[in-house]
Amino acid sequence: MVVDTEITRFERYLADAREAGEKRAELRRTVRGLKFDTIAVHGMYSVEEAFSSGQGGIIEGIYPSTSQAYRDSDEMEAGLSYQIPTWCYSRIHNPTVYALEETLALLESYGCEADATALCTSSGMSAIKQAVEPFLAFSGPGEPINFVAGAQVYGGTFQLFNIRMRERGATARWVKQPWQIEEWEEQIDDSTRFLYAEMPSNPTQVCFDIKAVAELAHKYEIPLIVDSTVATPALLRPLEHGADIVVQSLTKTIGSGGFSLGGALIARHNLVSRHLEDEARADFGTWVKLWPFRDSGPCMSPYSAFLFLNDLRSLRMKVEVMSKNTFKVAQYLDGHAKVESVDYLGLPNHQHHQLASRYLKMVDDGAETFGHLMAFTIRGSAEDTRRFFDGLIRVFRATDLGRIKSVATIPAISTHQQQGEEGRDLAGIPPTMVRLCVGAEHPDDVIADLDQALAGI
Ligand SMILES: *Cc1c(COP(=O)(O)O)cnc(C)c1O
């Protein structure tokens, strides 16, 4: 308690906020010491908070309100000048979204010495845009700017990097074999602002050595940004291996129920970048939220945050079941005469099996686990592939992945359609490829569906 009666009302707000902040930091230190599942289930919502502001509810409240009221002009001024924690207006910040952000930051920095801050956005794409844009500011007219990225990225990311970023004068330099560290180094020069890659990539499951590429980035004083949507923090936490920023499409496995779109960037404190000011480097997640994100507006709805929080509680167990199911399905397809090849990191014949075994491990138990994304190619033509695809009865045809239900797509005619044949070749996407994401159904039933559809070609 602050007892000095001489202080002004404004100062009182600052002092109270400091006291509350210290309490919160202490709680956060305690929560950081808990196991992954416990953090996923509870986040920062405590029994104490349930009684102090949550009506005793065992679940966090949902705050759909667009804005926050202030007690008086002093509190309003302190809040809107960012001198006390506040949420002001839901485009900037929102209590329900914040509950999700705190949980995600804790899960992505689990087992990592560095602390991290998360920022949730309206979609995975907007998270990627918010994560990369601050590094692309011009410091002089006509200055060339580039960034170096693994070529096997999500179709939307390819378009963002190749077209939208080029429109604003930043060139994407693609690394065709991101598992080869020399290829990265060949592309870096004085105008390179960051390195970027997916681990593993969607849909071809290309892997790269996060630790080695992070060290390379830091040698040039630039950050490494990793999209680990396919792995989720249940299997991989890139910050632990030296990455500076992680981006997640929450829409996918984290939101496996399939109720809403969302994204997140999770940034380590004191990240490496010779292009950012100290304040932005110190806590990139908060800085982006308070400034560029606020000014662009891709905020997450509190309703979506509430659904993601719910899905996140059981993330690890779902990833475990779905990974096991995928392994069984991959083994079945691998032996099928009408299947040309199977891309699944869990199969020892996958080009990146070794690298994946080093990085993809079930949190807290350490078992090599490879997720629920796989791809395979049909032995035959593009038409045969479509006939197989059209024959599926239980597996849904959808440009989606990460679901509790099995979904399949033909990337060449869907997710990777817009980038043209050249872009698809670069990403290694033939027209006979089927991407399959196995859900939590019994694997025998998924196999039976695939089996009858393959019999039809
Ligand atoms: C889907 C996806 C994205 C984009 O996320 P949205 O939520 O659809 O905007 C980015 N990266 C990867 C790996 C994805 O699978």
Side-chain angles (χ1 to χ4, degrees):
M1 269 307 285
V2 180
V3 287
D4 187 353
T5 49
E6 294 302 307
I7 70 171
T8 64
R9 197 169 62 172
F10 189 86
E11 287 165 344
R12 166 79 53 168
Y13 280 120
L14 301 192
D16 286 352
R18 230 174 358 254
E19 194 184 330
E22 278 159 19
K23 246 185 110 184
R24 191 82 181 160
E26 195 187 313
L27 172 64
R28 199 163 183 288
R29 278 192 293 274
T30 307
V31 175
R32 254 171 88 80
L34 301 173
K35 295 289 189 199
F36 188 91
D37 278 345
T38 314
I39 297 171
V41 169
H42 289 271
M44 287 278 287
Y45 187 67
S46 61
V47 170
E48 192 186 334
E49 187 178 339
F51 288 107
S52 65
S53 62
Q55 308 286 330
I58 63 167
I59 298 296
E60 302 87 337
I62 177 167
Y63 295 88
S65 177
T66 47
S67 54
Q68 174 187 11
Y70 294 97
R71 289 174 180 82
D72 50 49
S73 58
D74 282 331
E75 192 185 28
M76 178 179 269
E77 187 184 1
L80 293 199
S81 58
Y82 296 153
Q83 294 186 69
I84 60 170
T86 186
W87 59 279
C88 334
Y89 186 63
S90 276
R91 168 156 45 72
I92 307 173
H93 202 36
N94 171 277
T96 313
V97 177
Y98 189 48
L100 176 62
E101 287 171 339
E102 286 190 301
T103 310
L104 283 170
L106 289 161
L107 296 180
E108 282 291 354
S109 65
Y110 184 73
C112 177
E113 264 176 48
D115 207 345
T117 299
L119 165 67
C120 287
T121 63
S122 56
S123 68
M125 287 318 303
S126 57
I128 296 170
K129 198 155 182 276
Q130 292 297 311
V132 304
E133 270 186 348
F135 298 102
L136 300 176
F138 290 94
S139 54
E143 184 197 5
I145 286 181
N146 71 69
F147 54 96
V148 178
Q152 300 79 7
V153 289
Y154 174 69
T157 309
F158 185 84
Q159 294 289 106
L160 175 71
F161 284 3
N162 232 22
I163 300 177
R164 305 299 152 221
M165 292 304 160
R166 193 177 300 254
E167 281 168 358
R168 44 171 301 174
T171 310
R173 295 183 174 175
W174 300 106
V175 177
K176 289 188 184 144
Q177 303 180 86
W179 57 96
Q180 305 280 21
I181 190 81
E182 314 79 56
E183 277 199 35
W184 287 93
E185 188 146 28
E186 280 162 19
Q187 306 262 29
I188 302 173
D189 63 21
D190 273 354
S191 308
T192 303
R193 297 298 180 85
F194 62 84
L195 307 184
Y196 185 101
E198 285 179 20
M199 173 74 182
S201 74
N202 166 15
T204 48
Q205 303 158 77
V206 163
C207 291
F208 73 101
D209 188 341
I210 301 181
K211 191 164 177 286
V213 176
E215 279 167 10
L216 181 68
H218 296 163
K219 190 171 111 184
Y220 290 89
E221 292 177 73
I222 52 176
L224 169 65
I225 304 172
V226 179
D227 179 340
S228 61
T229 296
V230 169
T232 83
L235 298 184
L236 173 71
R237 291 160 310 284
L239 300 181
E240 190 185 345
H241 304 289
D244 295 275
I245 302 172
V246 176
V247 289
Q248 286 284 351
S249 168
L250 302 178
T251 319
K252 309 295 168 53
T253 307
I254 287 181
S256 65
F259 297 115
S260 50
L261 263 85
L265 70 82
I266 303 96
R268 74 160 62 237
H269 293 177
N270 299 313
L271 58 73
V272 178
S273 167
R274 62 191 165 85
H275 300 99
L276 287 190
E277 305 204 345
D278 287 349
E279 188 202 340
R281 285 193 318 97
D283 184 355
F284 184 80
T286 301
W287 178 83
V288 171
K289 171 184 278 200
L290 297 185
W291 306 104
F293 169 79
R294 179 198 68 181
D295 301 340
S296 5
C299 51
M300 174 182 279
S301 148
Y303 296 104
S304 298
F306 193 66
L307 294 170
F308 285 129
L309 270 169
N310 190 49
D311 246 332
L312 199 51
R313 294 188 221 281
S314 50
L315 176 70
R316 190 202 51 78
M317 30 209 135
K318 282 183 293 204
V319 170
E320 188 167 4
V321 168
M322 296 191 293
S323 298
K324 278 188 182 146
N325 292 352
T326 311
F327 195 77
K328 266 192 107 169
V329 171
Q331 280 176 321
Y332 155 79
L333 287 170
D334 202 32
H336 200 289
K338 288 179 180 166
V339 173
E340 175 94 40
S341 62
V342 179
D343 266 331
Y344 182 55
L345 287 171
L347 296 179
N349 65 358
H350 192 287
Q351 189 188 358
H352 303 295
H353 176 70
Q354 296 260 310
L355 200 47
S357 308
R358 257 173 62 200
Y359 281 105
L360 303 182
K361 293 183 194 295
M362 185 48 73
V363 66
D364 281 335
D365 103 4
E368 290 172 11
T369 308
F370 301 94
H372 66 137
L373 173 67
M374 61 173 297
F376 57 97
T377 54
I378 297 291
R379 195 184 297 277
S381 62
E383 285 67 42
D384 293 328
T385 307
R386 291 172 89 123
R387 206 166 323 124
F388 155 77
F389 189 64
D390 294 342
L392 292 169
I393 292 167
R394 197 157 293 105
V395 174
F396 280 90
R397 285 169 289 274
T399 59
D400 205 353
L401 63 91
R403 295 288 150 255
I404 195 93
K405 296 183 177 194
S406 296
V407 291
T409 186
I410 299 177
I413 59 165
S414 57
T415 52
H416 289 65
Q417 186 241 108
Q418 284 174 12
Q419 59 190 257
E421 211 167 304
E422 203 185 319
R424 284 196 291 275
D425 280 350
L426 194 65
I429 314 280
T432 51
M433 178 185 277
V434 176
R435 183 182 78 189
L436 174 65
C437 209
V438 180
E441 305 96 338
H442 195 287
D444 291 353
D445 291 328
V446 179
I447 289 170
D449 192 17
L450 296 170
D451 203 57
Q452 64 78 28
L454 282 167
I457 59 172

